[in-house]
Amino acid sequence: MARRTAAVIAVSLGVVLAAAACDAADHVATRTTTEPPRTTASASTGARRAAACGTRQLRWKLTRLTGNPRSASAALLSATNTGTAPCAFDGYPAVEVHAGKGPSVSSKPKAPAPVRHVLNPGRGIEFPLFYETSASPDGSCFLPAEDDASIDVRPPHPARNDYGASIEMTDVHGRHLRAAVCGVVVQMGSPRLP
């Protein structure tokens, strides 16, 4: 009788421990995570967990747009993932136009809203840029074309040693242009996938 009672207790204990282990595993498997809202260029699970895009895997392009009304974008900033793995573009890039160590103009989002795009290899993203390209009626311009300003861009959330890249502005045919930014800020519109 004592053996039978000991066997029943041992089996019961085993069932209780197994049930507790299953419950803990189910709890871990169904735990929800808080992730920012996302719009992706890929629907795969691996792509959703992609690391942040860095300068090394991005090819930047800045194209001056012409013939647009003042309310339209003046230029288009684009980035293409040239790496071999997907990367997350989580936020807005930073653009700075500067004349040496002299005056500079930085970008800011026109309407800051959560942005998350996962770029598969070969895929790109575009940001319209809004700024004054010509002098005011009194002839003043903060960074005229004669200053031959430099343009630097950094991805959102760059790594500690990621200082971004210098880029050139081109026209729609790929010819180099000198940047002229006559206002004191470059506003960046919402991104779009080309």
Side-chain angles (χ1 to χ4, degrees):
M1 178 92 163
R3 280 186 174 172
R4 191 178 294 184
T5 304
V8 168
I9 290 173
V11 169
S12 298
L13 183 60
V15 169
V16 169
L17 290 174
C22 287
D23 184 47
D26 287 343
H27 178 68
V28 171
T30 60
R31 185 184 313 157
T32 59
T33 59
T34 55
E35 291 184 26
R38 62 178 178 80
T39 305
T40 65
S42 168
S44 72
T45 303
R48 281 185 242 144
R49 299 176 190 264
C53 294
T55 297
R56 288 184 184 177
Q57 68 197 112
L58 294 173
R59 183 182 69 239
W60 295 98
K61 185 177 176 184
L62 181 60
T63 306
R64 172 77 172 88
L65 305 175
T66 57
N68 293 322
R70 291 178 83 77
S71 61
S73 57
L76 189 64
L77 176 68
S78 60
T80 302
N81 179 0
T82 60
T84 58
C87 68
F89 214 91
D90 195 2
Y92 289 83
V95 175
E96 183 182 33
V97 184
H98 57 94
K101 294 182 179 179
S104 66
V105 175
S106 297
S107 64
K108 70 175 189 176
K110 193 171 186 179
V115 170
R116 180 171 171 80
H117 290 282
V118 174
L119 303 180
N120 283 326
R123 294 296 305 258
I125 189 168
E126 298 175 337
F127 292 87
L129 302 180
F130 301 85
Y131 60 92
E132 293 295 325
T133 59
S134 56
S136 63
D138 68 1
S140 65
C141 181
F142 194 71
L143 282 169
E146 297 79 39
D147 286 356
D148 197 19
S150 298
I151 305 166
D152 298 323
V153 63
R154 283 185 309 142
H157 309 292
R160 184 182 308 207
N161 59 351
D162 187 345
Y163 302 106
S166 292
I167 58 173
E168 290 186 351
M169 179 178 281
T170 64
D171 65 13
V172 293
H173 304 291
R175 294 181 295 243
H176 171 72
L177 294 174
R178 289 184 174 195
V181 181
C182 294
V184 293
V185 69
V186 173
Q187 290 189 319
M188 190 171 291
S190 298
R192 59 186 183 228
L193 297 173

